[in-house]
């Protein structure tokens, strides 16, 4: 049963993207043109919508066509939902996008009706959209699915003027779909990040990862260690605004504090914690994992930032630790080698000390209610210490020294998220033979199972439970190579292609030319 009541008014100033308890945010249009009582007849005579599967990005999974005029937003149309229920914000947002008022139920011809339906099949991000009798009804088992249904309505209006008669059943193939953003090497404003969130939401993407600590900068205000924060940074107030908008758009923000490498900004403030080799040479960006004070500083930061990100994940980095890029780490870093043997036994190596560091940081964030993530080159084979099985592997490269093929992680029973640097790495300045990814190449060649290089992993555990999705990744190695506006333009089509391939695993039906034209038509 779908229960609906009226919702009087919709925001016109963009505030629909921010949760609020302020009931004064009603539509200016409805201030001057009050909605008619539910008993008043509505007169609709819009032209019929051409039948056929709606054109959206990502594409609708299932459409059962029926005979009828379809639905268009027209004079007298409203968005109907329970004003005291969980869909109030979704109704306001859809009303704003369609330039319609909200109004009291029951829904009548011309209206868009929103409702949760407990037990509806398809999972929390699925929805069903029925168009019949000049009325559109969106139902879903959860708010996220209902929101995605509203995005389909908006895109269908942009591309065809409305929705055809029939029933849509839709939902994503992979539960993690998103963008990875390096804000440590390059400062991006809160407004720029918020614009990307809105773009992502229209594409039904649900995850934004923020890499905010690296050698070049620490970019979020800190109370526990203000000395590590870069002059250009996000304030906590700005971060809370970003997280609130993301939550309203059903996007999870994943924080990343990378260690024991990529900690240069922290080491600048704490030079005594820097790692040095046998000759006394500083290992750039690397913390001395043998120093208990180093663990204390990193754990302070993890504990400070975890509550600011309400999502279930915390990324711990763990990649490219310089002690392990030496030809013989035991010779280059004899003090670490000795500590490894003291701590883990005579067969232990420096890699075991690094694995122990990762496991300790994972224990910290698990105690804070987070699932830890780490890059694939922080997981080593053949050690006496094994990386905790609860840490999600984020696979980005097979090019690093000693890199393991993704099949090994899957064989170990691990969950592996796809950030394949062959297709999904947008690296500013294109260093180290990187090339800016194109939407066309992703659209034609990449899939969630293509974790490394250009070839899928062998048949086996490649479903959503083992490879839960992926992200396009922006890395700012040469920060001045592009402006923020150029980055936004450069990732637009790759992001659309990623959204399509993570939503629907089937070979795309549209040609690249048709898909790219469609992606342009549905953009804000």
């Amino acid at each position: 049963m779908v229960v609906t009541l009226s919702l009087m008014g919709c925001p016109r100033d963009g505030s629909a993207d921010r949760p609020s308890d302020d009931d004064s945010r009603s539509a200016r249009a409805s201030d001057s043109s009050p909605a008619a009582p539910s008993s008043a007849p509505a007169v609709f005579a819009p032209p019929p919508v051409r039948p056929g599967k709606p054109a959206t990005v990502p594409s609708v999974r299932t459409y059962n066509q029926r005979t009828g005029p379809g639905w268009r937003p027209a004079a007298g149309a409203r968005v109907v939902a329970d004003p005291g229920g969980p869909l109030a914000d979704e109704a306001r947002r859809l009303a704003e996008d369609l330039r319609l008022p909200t109004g009291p139920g029951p829904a009548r011809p011309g209206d868009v009706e929103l409702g949760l339906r407990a037990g509806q099949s398809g999972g929390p991000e699925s929805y069903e959209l029925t168009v019949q009798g000049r009325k559109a009804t969106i139902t879903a088992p959860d708010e996220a699915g209902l929101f995605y249904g509203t995005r389909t309505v908006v895109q269908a209006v942009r591309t065809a003027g409305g929705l055809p008669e029939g029933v849509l059943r839709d939902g994503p193939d992979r539960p993690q779909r998103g963008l990875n953003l390096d804000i440590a090497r390059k400062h991006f404003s809160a407004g720029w990040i918020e614009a990307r969130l809105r773009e992502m939401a229209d594409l039904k993407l649900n995850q934004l990862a923020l890499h905010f600590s690296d050698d070049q900068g620490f970019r979020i205000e800190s109370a526990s260690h203000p000395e590590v924060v870069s002059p250009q940074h996000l304030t906590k107030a700005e971060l809370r605004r970003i997280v609130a908008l993301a939550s309203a758009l059903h996007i999870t923000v994943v924080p990343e504090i990378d260690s024991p490498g990529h900690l240069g900004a922290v080491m600048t403030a704490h030079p005594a914690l820097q790692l040095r080799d046998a000759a006394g040479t500083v290992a750039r960006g690397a913390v001395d994992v043998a120093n208990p004070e180093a663990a204390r500083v990193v754990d302070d930061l993890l504990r400070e930032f975890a509550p600011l990100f309400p999502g279930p994940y915390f990324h711990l980095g763990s990649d490219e630790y310089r002690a392990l890029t030496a030809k013989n780490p035991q010779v280059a870093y004899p003090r670490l080698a000795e500590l490894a043997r003291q701590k883990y036994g005579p067969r232990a190596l420096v890699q075991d000390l690094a694995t122990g560091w990762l496991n300790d940081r994972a224990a910290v964030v698990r105690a804070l209610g987070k699932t830890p993530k780490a890059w694939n080159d922080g997981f080593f084979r053949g050690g006496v210490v094994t990386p905790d099985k609860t840490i999600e592997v984020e696979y980005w490269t097979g090019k690093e020294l000693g890199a393991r093929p993704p099949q090994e992680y899957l064989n170990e029973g691990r969950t592996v998220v796809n950030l394949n640097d062959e297709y999904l790495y947008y690296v500013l300045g294109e260093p180290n033979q990187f090339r800016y990814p194109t939407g066309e190449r992703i659209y034609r060649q990449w899939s969630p199972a293509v974790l490394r290089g250009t070839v899928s992993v062998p048949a086996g555990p490649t479903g959503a439970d083992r490879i839960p999705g992926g992200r396009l990744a922006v890395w700012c190695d040469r920060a001045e190579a592009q402006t923020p506006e150029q980055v936004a333009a450069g990732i637009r089509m790759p992001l659309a292609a990623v959204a399509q391939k993570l939503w629907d695993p089937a070979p795309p039906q549209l040609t690249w030319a048709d898909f790219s034209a469609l992606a342009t038509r549905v953009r804000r």
Side-chain angles (χ1 to χ4, degrees):
M1 178 179 183
V2 180
V3 180
T4 60
L5 292 174
S6 65
L7 184 63
M8 300 301 294
C10 61
R12 293 291 190 189
D13 59 359
S15 60
D17 289 328
R18 296 184 294 276
S20 173
D21 294 325
D22 182 2
D23 291 333
S24 67
R25 300 181 306 153
S26 57
R28 298 188 182 103
S30 58
D31 290 343
S32 58
S33 303
S38 60
S39 59
V43 178
F44 293 91
V49 177
R50 179 180 297 177
K53 185 177 179 180
T56 61
V57 178
S59 61
V60 170
R61 303 285 292 274
T62 303
Y63 167 59
N64 295 317
Q65 183 173 307
R66 294 177 179 173
T67 302
W71 173 88
R72 292 179 185 270
R78 309 166 302 161
V79 177
V80 177
D82 180 353
L87 301 182
D89 286 340
E90 311 301 354
R92 291 189 183 103
R93 188 173 296 107
L94 179 59
E96 171 71 14
D97 289 335
L98 298 178
R99 300 184 180 276
L100 295 177
T102 55
R108 62 198 185 206
D111 290 343
V112 182
E113 180 183 19
L114 312 182
L116 294 177
R117 180 172 288 161
Q120 181 171 302
S121 63
E125 293 187 295
S126 68
Y127 66 93
E128 184 175 298
L129 202 170
T130 301
V131 179
Q132 187 174 13
R134 295 191 183 276
K135 184 179 76 172
T137 303
I138 310 171
T139 61
D142 192 84
E143 295 171 51
L146 197 291
F147 174 70
Y148 296 141
T150 69
R151 299 307 89 195
T152 294
V153 171
V154 171
Q155 287 197 20
V157 170
R158 289 173 181 166
T159 58
L163 290 159
E165 200 85 2
V167 180
L168 301 172
R169 293 182 178 88
D170 200 13
D173 183 64
R174 306 286 160 150
Q176 295 190 43
R177 311 175 306 280
L179 174 66
N180 205 90
L181 183 60
D182 173 11
I183 65 172
R185 294 179 177 93
K186 183 180 183 69
H187 174 67
F188 292 91
S189 70
W192 190 94
I193 296 171
E194 289 168 339
R196 302 290 73 71
L197 287 170
R198 294 186 180 95
E199 181 181 357
M200 291 169 62
D202 277 355
L203 295 171
K204 302 183 175 79
L205 296 170
N206 68 355
Q207 195 175 83
L208 173 68
L210 293 180
H211 174 91
F212 62 89
S213 171
D214 211 303
D215 297 342
Q216 295 81 357
F218 192 102
R219 301 291 182 177
I220 300 179
E221 174 187 359
S222 171
S224 66
H225 289 282
E227 73 280 1
V228 308
V229 179
S230 302
Q232 279 191 309
H233 63 271
L234 297 173
T235 67
K236 286 188 176 177
E238 289 174 320
L239 177 64
R240 291 186 181 97
R241 194 177 81 198
I242 289 167
V243 170
L245 174 59
S247 179
L249 299 175
H250 302 279
I251 295 172
T252 296
V253 184
V254 180
E256 181 190 353
I257 297 178
D258 202 344
S259 76
H262 293 281
L263 273 177
V266 174
M267 294 301 95
T268 298
H270 296 273
L273 304 182
Q274 291 179 318
L275 177 66
R276 298 175 183 272
D277 65 12
T281 303
V282 170
R284 181 173 180 266
V287 69
D288 183 356
V289 296
N291 189 331
E293 180 64 13
R296 186 191 68 79
V297 171
V298 172
D299 290 349
D300 285 347
L301 294 168
L302 294 175
R303 292 188 177 101
E304 177 182 3
F305 283 98
L308 298 174
F309 296 88
Y313 302 107
F314 205 117
H315 204 306
L316 301 172
S318 198
D319 61 312
E320 298 181 316
Y321 186 45
R322 289 188 177 269
L324 296 173
T325 62
K327 184 176 181 180
N328 188 329
Q330 280 59 241
V331 172
Y333 297 91
R335 189 170 56 85
L336 294 185
E338 176 59 26
L339 179 61
R341 290 190 292 269
Q342 292 176 9
K343 193 169 185 178
Y344 299 115
R347 294 177 51 249
L349 304 172
V350 173
Q351 73 174 53
D352 295 299
L353 212 57
T355 300
W357 172 278
L358 172 60
N359 287 346
D360 289 346
R361 308 291 77 73
V364 170
V365 299
R366 269 200 314 275
L368 298 168
K370 307 296 184 184
T371 296
K373 291 173 173 281
W375 299 112
N376 67 284
D377 51 328
F379 296 74
F380 308 101
R381 67 161 71 93
V384 299
V385 181
T386 302
D388 192 298
K389 286 290 182 71
T390 67
I391 305 172
E392 284 195 355
V393 179
E394 302 239 326
Y395 200 100
W396 71 280
T397 188
K399 300 170 185 174
E400 293 291 316
L401 182 68
R404 301 166 60 194
Q407 190 68 49
E408 287 192 18
Y409 302 96
L410 295 170
N411 292 344
E412 292 173 1
R414 297 185 181 277
T415 299
V416 183
V417 179
N418 192 326
L419 287 95
N420 184 345
D421 64 350
E422 178 70 26
Y423 292 99
L424 305 180
Y425 261 39
Y426 192 98
V427 185
L428 267 60
E430 300 183 310
N432 302 320
Q433 300 182 324
F434 281 110
R435 294 294 177 266
Y436 293 126
T438 67
E440 181 174 6
R441 191 162 180 254
I442 295 168
Y443 187 78
R444 291 180 182 275
Q445 300 177 12
W446 179 79
S447 74
V450 181
L451 284 161
R452 173 177 176 171
T454 61
V455 180
S456 297
V457 294
T462 58
D465 59 328
R466 301 298 304 283
I467 304 177
R471 297 192 302 279
L472 181 74
V474 175
W475 296 104
C476 302
D477 291 41
R478 296 176 181 170
E480 303 309 313
Q482 288 191 342
T483 65
E485 292 73 23
Q486 288 172 321
V487 174
I491 67 175
R492 182 175 294 278
M493 289 310 302
L495 204 57
V498 167
Q500 174 61 43
K501 301 301 285 286
L502 290 172
W503 189 266
D504 188 350
Q509 295 182 355
L510 296 179
T511 66
W512 169 250
D514 288 342
F515 178 84
S516 58
L518 174 61
T520 299
R521 290 169 64 197
V522 303
R523 63 185 288 187
R524 286 180 179 268

